[in-house]
Amino acid sequence: INKSFIKNILTMISRKDETDSNVLWEDQERINRFANLNNKKHVFQYKLEDLVDKLQAIEDASDEVLFVGDDVVRISISDVFLQMTQEKATEYLTGHQEKLNLEKEEIENKLETIKTEMEELKVLLYAKFGNSINLDE
């Protein structure tokens, strides 16, 4: 018998031991849950980035309103420009900013909950399957 043949057989046996875990229904549910949470995480991260951009735009607009010397300013809302007093414009922007900050906080809390659950699932799944499962995000 060839030495390289025996070496190959021993390597295959050791690899078989690494990956020879039975996947139970409960394990499959955990894997699916991890995948679903990962998708949600990416959606929330995108929404968070969008909110940060909107908040920056509102902050820039608020600065501009303060530096405009006129009593009447034009505010763009969607495709429409509205004329309002500087005071009303500041009030509108502040209210909108507060609303977006609440949304941002809510999304950050959801992201934290998702990340915590994903870490718990990773621990359970890596404990059972070791290197034979890849839970990269």
Side-chain angles (χ1 to χ4, degrees):
I1 297 179
N2 189 339
K3 285 184 181 182
S4 64
F5 176 75
I6 294 174
K7 190 175 181 179
N8 286 339
I9 296 293
L10 290 175
T11 302
M12 287 173 33
I13 290 171
S14 67
R15 285 187 186 154
K16 183 178 184 291
D17 291 340
E18 271 182 20
T19 61
D20 203 18
S21 296
N22 291 332
V23 179
L24 303 175
W25 177 253
E26 182 180 82
D27 299 325
Q28 188 60 51
E29 285 180 330
R30 287 180 180 150
I31 293 167
N32 292 342
R33 178 73 179 150
F34 182 88
N36 289 335
L37 288 171
N38 193 38
N39 288 336
K40 284 183 183 180
K41 182 184 90 168
H42 289 289
V43 168
F44 284 131
Q45 285 175 332
Y46 174 77
K47 287 181 180 181
L48 186 61
E49 289 171 7
D50 187 48
L51 281 173
V52 168
D53 291 344
K54 287 178 181 178
L55 284 165
Q56 183 62 48
I58 289 175
E59 187 176 324
D60 293 345
S62 295
D63 292 344
E64 288 296 320
V65 166
L66 291 176
F67 292 117
V68 172
D70 302 335
D71 285 339
V72 177
V73 293
R74 291 175 22 157
I75 298 284
S76 170
I77 300 174
S78 294
D79 294 334
V80 178
F81 281 95
L82 299 175
Q83 286 188 348
M84 56 181 73
T85 64
Q86 190 176 19
E87 183 181 323
K88 286 283 186 190
T90 302
E91 186 179 304
Y92 169 78
L93 291 170
T94 302
H96 198 58
Q97 187 175 29
E98 288 172 0
K99 178 185 165 203
L100 291 178
N101 276 325
L102 288 174
E103 284 182 45
K104 180 181 174 225
E105 186 177 318
E106 185 179 316
I107 288 174
E108 287 171 337
N109 290 337
K110 286 179 182 179
L111 272 171
E112 191 60 37
T113 301
I114 287 170
K115 287 178 183 179
T116 300
E117 187 174 349
M118 286 175 73
E119 285 301 316
E120 291 170 2
L121 289 168
K122 272 185 178 181
V123 168
L124 292 171
L125 291 168
Y126 278 132
K128 178 156 187 179
F129 298 108
N131 293 332
S132 64
I133 190 167
N134 183 5
L135 300 174
D136 288 337
E137 301 168 30

